[in-house]
Amino acid sequence: MLMKSKLLLSISIVLFLIEPSGAQIKNDTSKRIAVSLDSFIFRLMVDYVSADTLNLNIAEFEKNTISHLGEEHRLIIPILANPGVYEQDNSSYDKFLPSVYHKEPTRGSPFLIPIYVPGLVISQSYGIINKKEYRYNYDKVTGNLLLIKDKESPIAVDRELVNSFCLKLDKGGYIFMRVPLINSNEFFQVINKGSKYSCYKLFKNIFINANQKTNGYVTDGKDYDEYQDVETYYMVDEKKEEWSVFELNRKSIKKTFGSQNHAINKYLKDHRYDEITESVMANLIEELNK
């Protein structure tokens, strides 16, 4: 009886040791599959935004200086009759007495793009949503993907159902993905993604109220409300599963990768006259992933 008890105890211990090992193998396999799927989805979206030019009529001015009429943050399409052109009025309401304070139109925008554009959406189960009647935008304040269909009102897509998405411009576009290693609740714009290194940007946008004050003689502060962008860049070491925040300058890049990194030093030397932009970072990551 004692021998039988010892035998059962030995079997239990062996099973206890085997089970975690099996679970570890299962977790590793699931992780590899997810990484492969993410890589496939990324390449799919790169091909989508790199396709033939679409005639969206987004002027360069609108891309770089997105004006927004209205002082409230709403999920609506920002419509500009004359982008960037506003009438200057220095009179009071009765058009008689001159005013000492005039509030200017709101600057900036909570929206990434001034119009809704075509795109691809990848669900959490890796289903591909590609409907021609859908148009998308990104809300930098809330971090939500916005969707509009035909002439219906825009809606914020349930972020829990979305794995990644891309927005197509007339030239190129934006790709957003979840990066659980950094923060699984946010969508990060992909600067470049590879097997060794990846680079992302996180958009944040804050609303700042006008704070101008005057005593009739001296005026101080801003006479306009403003949507102000806050952009943070992340570098991910895919092999070590580590990430770090960096800035778009040579000093920060060297600090992030290590000052003795030969590949980084060579690339920066070869491009010593180039301004460090997102395009330069994308090319750098491409070189490091070879």
Side-chain angles (χ1 to χ4, degrees):
M1 183 67 180
L2 181 60
M3 181 63 68
K4 184 176 180 180
S5 299
K6 288 183 178 180
L7 180 60
L8 289 175
L9 179 61
S10 299
I11 293 174
S12 299
I13 293 174
V14 171
L15 290 176
F16 177 77
L17 293 175
I18 291 176
E19 186 174 358
S21 178
Q24 182 65 40
I25 293 173
K26 184 177 179 180
N27 290 336
D28 290 344
T29 302
S30 299
K31 184 177 180 180
R32 285 197 298 270
I33 292 174
V35 169
S36 298
L37 285 172
D38 284 340
S39 298
F40 170 77
I41 290 301
F42 174 63
R43 298 315 310 176
L44 177 70
M45 291 191 290
V46 168
D47 291 341
Y48 181 83
V49 299
S50 303
D52 293 340
T53 298
L54 297 178
N55 186 21
L56 297 177
N57 297 318
I58 305 178
E60 287 298 324
F61 175 83
E62 291 176 321
K63 289 180 186 177
N64 300 322
T65 310
I66 303 173
S67 299
H68 176 69
L69 294 178
E71 299 172 4
E72 293 180 306
H73 173 221
R74 298 175 179 173
L75 300 182
I76 59 173
I77 304 176
I79 300 175
L80 302 180
N82 296 294
V85 179
Y86 303 99
E87 292 185 4
Q88 298 297 319
D89 185 1
N90 194 38
S91 59
S92 60
Y93 294 115
D94 59 10
K95 307 297 182 182
F96 178 71
L97 294 173
S99 62
V100 294
Y101 169 63
H102 175 71
K103 190 174 182 179
E104 295 294 322
T106 301
R107 298 188 183 183
S109 171
F111 305 100
L112 180 63
I113 310 170
I115 63 175
Y116 281 65
V117 299
L120 286 180
V121 177
I122 312 301
S123 70
Q124 282 288 31
S125 58
Y126 292 96
I128 302 172
I129 302 170
N130 181 16
K131 295 189 176 184
K132 294 182 178 180
E133 66 272 25
Y134 285 4
R135 291 290 185 271
Y136 302 94
N137 208 330
Y138 179 71
D139 186 335
K140 295 182 290 184
V141 174
T142 64
N144 286 327
L145 171 65
L146 307 180
L147 164 66
I148 189 171
K149 178 183 178 184
D150 299 325
K151 295 182 180 180
E152 298 178 10
S153 299
I155 62 171
V157 181
D158 186 349
R159 67 171 63 201
E160 296 300 322
L161 303 179
V162 179
N163 172 277
S164 52
F165 61 90
C166 64
L167 308 174
K168 179 76 174 79
L169 303 181
D170 48 4
K171 294 181 181 179
Y174 297 89
I175 296 175
F176 287 83
M177 303 185 76
R178 290 183 183 275
V179 187
L181 181 64
I182 303 174
N183 187 335
S184 60
N185 295 319
E186 299 281 4
F187 290 116
F188 294 82
Q189 182 197 344
V190 183
I191 305 300
N192 204 338
K193 180 176 174 61
S195 58
K196 299 177 182 177
Y197 295 98
S198 298
C199 181
Y200 303 94
K201 178 168 73 171
L202 179 63
F203 281 104
K204 287 295 179 183
N205 189 282
I206 56 177
F207 183 77
I208 303 175
N209 288 300
N211 60 357
Q212 189 177 85
K213 297 179 181 179
T214 180
N215 59 10
Y217 299 97
V218 180
T219 301
D220 183 42
K222 296 179 179 179
D223 63 348
Y224 55 85
D225 294 331
E226 180 180 14
Y227 286 101
Q228 190 175 94
D229 288 335
V230 179
E231 300 172 349
T232 307
Y233 292 92
Y234 295 84
M235 188 68 63
V236 173
D237 186 323
E238 301 289 356
K239 300 295 184 182
K240 295 182 179 179
E241 296 187 348
E242 297 176 350
W243 60 269
S244 56
V245 174
F246 74 99
E247 298 177 4
L248 288 182
N249 60 62
R250 285 173 167 76
K251 181 179 180 180
S252 183
I253 292 171
K254 286 184 177 181
K255 181 179 179 181
T256 300
F257 285 98
S259 59
Q260 303 303 315
N261 190 307
H262 175 71
I264 295 295
N265 291 333
K266 182 179 184 306
Y267 184 88
L268 293 178
K269 183 178 179 180
D270 292 342
H271 296 81
R272 56 184 173 275
Y273 300 117
D274 296 340
E275 179 185 357
I276 302 299
T277 62
E278 291 179 10
S279 296
V280 170
M281 283 306 306
N283 292 332
L284 171 58
I285 297 300
E286 193 72 26
E287 287 295 320
L288 294 176
N289 282 316
K290 290 181 178 179

